[in-house]
Amino acid sequence: MNDATPDAPATTAAAAAAAASRPIRWYWEHRAVGSVREFGATAVTREATIAFASQFDPQPFHLDDDAARASLFGALSASGWHTCAMAMRMMCDDYLLESSSLGSPGIDNLRWLKPVFPGDVLRVRLTVLQARPMNSRPAVGLVQSQWEVLNQHDAVVLTMTGWGMFGRRTPAAPGDAPPSVP
Amino acid sequence: MNDATPDAPATTAAAAAAAASRPIRWYWEHRAVGSVREFGATAVTREATIAFASQFDPQPFHLDDDAARASLFGALSASGWHTCAMAMRMMCDDYLLESSSLGSPGIDNLRWLKPVFPGDVLRVRLTVLQARPMNSRPAVGLVQSQWEVLNQHDAVVLTMTGWGMFGRRTPAAPGDAPPSVP
């Protein structure tokens, strides 16, 4: 569970040390096309919703109850970028920090399908869509995944398709095939 | 300039009040297709980079100098989601908070083209690509914009195409045409 409040400096240093020290369990070769993982539980708090919006997306409907009631969302809701960030944190905690993740070139088809409200509990469902070697870097493979963020009612509130770069357990050789479901 | 540190509660309340009180200058009808706006200046600090990454994207290359040097980025860099959030804040400060913005259904083709490093100063260039009425809501129009985030070297570090919903100054009538460059 990630309470999504800013860390104090000591906690930040500890988080850095912990992240840096986790061994790699998941390489590019483990991302089988068609595989589905579901993970995480992030409780969305009013405090975190307002803190994120105040810092990055101070539109009235993300900060003020009256403005939110008059908006298309009907009640105070989280910034869509906050939902992305919460999803990323779940990805890190339950997957990427034990992987050979090297970063991402980008995201396609990001859709904020439903508002996220304080009190919601979010989780992530991740489906591998494609995997292929990275032509320019033999030690790196690319994986395209479908992210779905669901709330406690099993409603999908966000979808997006992300590309990730992952270190390969063994560098590419001519004729290598991408991983697939056995 | 947004220093991207979390606001204290009093500042949060003040931000909410200020946001809620700004008059609307820009309606859907003002978003002429082809128009370009450039705005913002956000100085990326090491503290804000590590604070965001600690909270939402604690991958070692966003937190730790040694890990970052060994990564594809070559030095400590901001989470891509942090770059999105900083761009959103510039959009709010210099445009959306004086607009009839009603939120966004989504983003296409988000690309993190170059790393963002502490010390960088970012700005946004926004180009209107399309505008059309929202069929289901006569008081709302849709606008598709190309976002480009540039650094102090005029390098484009992020691009994305976003859809925005904006209140119309006058509700739709049959046969209305979308706004265009005069």
Side-chain angles (χ1 to χ4, degrees), chain B residues 1 26 28 75 110 135 163 167-168:
Chain B
M1 189 82 73
W26 310 108
W28 176 70
L110 167 56
N135 295 330
W163 282 100
R168 300 179 61 148

Side-chain angles (χ1 to χ4, degrees), chain A residues 2-7 11-13 15-16 19-21 48 50-61 63-64 67 71-73 79 81-82 84-90 92-93 96-97 99 101-113 134 137 140 147 160 163 165, chain B residues 2-7 11-13 15-16 19-21 48 50-61 63-64 67 71-73 79 81-82 84-90 92-93 96-97 99 101-113 134 137 140 147 160 163 165:
Chain A
N2 162 30
D3 70 359
T5 53
D7 287 321
T11 314
T12 300
S21 70
I50 292 176
F52 188 99
S54 299
Q55 195 176 353
F56 295 118
D57 189 356
Q59 298 186 85
F61 43 73
L63 289 171
D64 178 80
S71 77
L72 296 181
F73 308 120
S79 167
W81 297 114
H82 189 192
C84 292
M86 289 187 281
M88 187 66 198
R89 177 59 187 258
M90 288 186 272
C92 286
D93 285 349
L96 290 179
L97 295 185
S99 81
S101 168
L102 298 169
S104 168
I107 297 283
D108 293 304
N109 302 318
L110 167 55
R111 291 294 176 272
W112 292 295
L113 299 174
M134 190 167 180
R137 295 177 183 270
V140 180
W147 304 44
M160 57 184 168
W163 283 100
M165 298 179 287
Chain B
N2 161 28
D3 69 0
T5 53
D7 286 319
T11 314
T12 300
S21 69
I50 291 176
F52 188 99
S54 300
Q55 195 176 354
F56 295 117
D57 189 356
Q59 297 186 85
F61 43 73
L63 289 171
D64 178 80
S71 77
L72 296 181
F73 308 120
S79 167
W81 297 113
H82 189 192
C84 291
M86 289 188 281
M88 187 67 198
R89 176 60 187 256
M90 288 186 272
C92 286
D93 285 349
L96 291 179
L97 294 185
S99 81
S101 168
L102 299 169
S104 168
I107 297 283
D108 294 304
N109 302 318
L110 167 56
R111 292 293 177 272
W112 292 295
L113 299 173
M134 190 167 181
R137 295 177 182 269
V140 180
W147 304 45
M160 58 184 167
W163 282 100
M165 297 178 288

Side-chain angles (χ1 to χ4, degrees), chain A residues 13-104:
Chain A
S21 70
R22 285 169 75 167
I24 294 177
R25 293 177 58 197
W26 309 110
Y27 286 88
W28 175 71
E29 287 84 348
H30 294 105
R31 303 295 314 275
V33 172
S35 64
V36 181
R37 300 171 67 117
E38 199 165 314
F39 47 74
T42 295
V44 182
T45 67
R46 181 178 171 87
E47 293 67 30
T49 298
I50 292 176
F52 188 99
S54 299
Q55 195 176 353
F56 295 118
D57 189 356
Q59 298 186 85
F61 43 73
H62 294 317
L63 289 171
D64 178 80
D65 288 312
D66 290 338
R69 265 189 293 273
S71 77
L72 296 181
F73 308 120
L76 192 81
S77 65
S79 167
W81 297 114
H82 189 192
T83 307
C84 292
M86 289 187 281
M88 187 66 198
R89 177 59 187 258
M90 288 186 272
M91 283 281 281
C92 286
D93 285 349
D94 289 309
Y95 171 50
L96 290 179
L97 295 185
E98 294 184 318
S99 81
S100 58
S101 168
L102 298 169
S104 168

